[in-house]
Amino acid sequence: MKLKYVILYVPNVAEAVDFHERAFGLKPRMTHPSGDYAEMETGDTVLAFSATTLMASLGKTVGAPDPARPVFELAFETDDVPTAVDRAVAAGAALVTAPVDQPWGQTLAYVTDLNGYLVEICTPVRGGD
C-alpha cells in the first residue's frame, strides 16, 4: 500500500490552490469542473483540496483546523528554509516558528496556510544513520 494523496477541506478550493502555488511553488495538477476539488503536484503524494460544501453534501461535518492544537501537519522539504519561509509569509502565510537548527541535523520552521493548517518547512535530516 502507498499513500496516494492528502486532502485538506477548505472553504474555497481556488483560493487554496492559488495560495499554495504562490507560497510553496506547487503546481496545479487538476481541478474538477465544479471547482469543488483540485490536486497539486508535490512529488509521489498528491496534495488535494475539497470544498467544505462538497463534504457537507456527502454528509460529513468538517472541523476547522486549529494551529494552536494541530492534529497533523504538512511538511515541505527544501535546502533553503529561510527563503522558503519568506516566500510563504509574503504569500500570506502566518509565521508560527522561525527557522531553527535542530540537534538531529535538520533546520525547520512552521507557518500556517490561509486556512489555518500547520505547515512545516524543513531541510532533509543531515547526519542521520
Side-chain angles (χ1 to χ4, degrees), residues 1 8 12-14 17 30 35 40 43 64 70 76 86 90 95 105 109-110 114:
M1 195 174 300
L8 301 182
N12 187 306
V13 171
V17 168
M30 69 80 77
M40 302 197 80
F76 294 119
D86 289 346
L95 182 64
Y110 287 96
L114 79 161

Side-chain angles (χ1 to χ4, degrees), residues 15 37 40 56 60 63 65 73-74 90 97 104 108 122 124:
E15 286 179 0
Y37 180 83
M40 302 197 80
K60 297 180 181 178
E73 65 188 55
L74 297 177
T97 305
W104 55 85
L108 63 84
C122 61

Side-chain angles (χ1 to χ4, degrees), residues 73 75-81 100-108 110 120-129:
E73 65 188 55
F76 294 119
E77 190 176 86
T78 180
D79 289 326
D80 187 351
V81 173
V100 176
D101 292 331
Q102 299 298 325
W104 55 85
Q106 187 179 40
T107 301
L108 63 84
Y110 287 96
E120 176 183 326
I121 301 173
C122 61
T123 59
V125 176
R126 309 255 189 246
D129 294 331

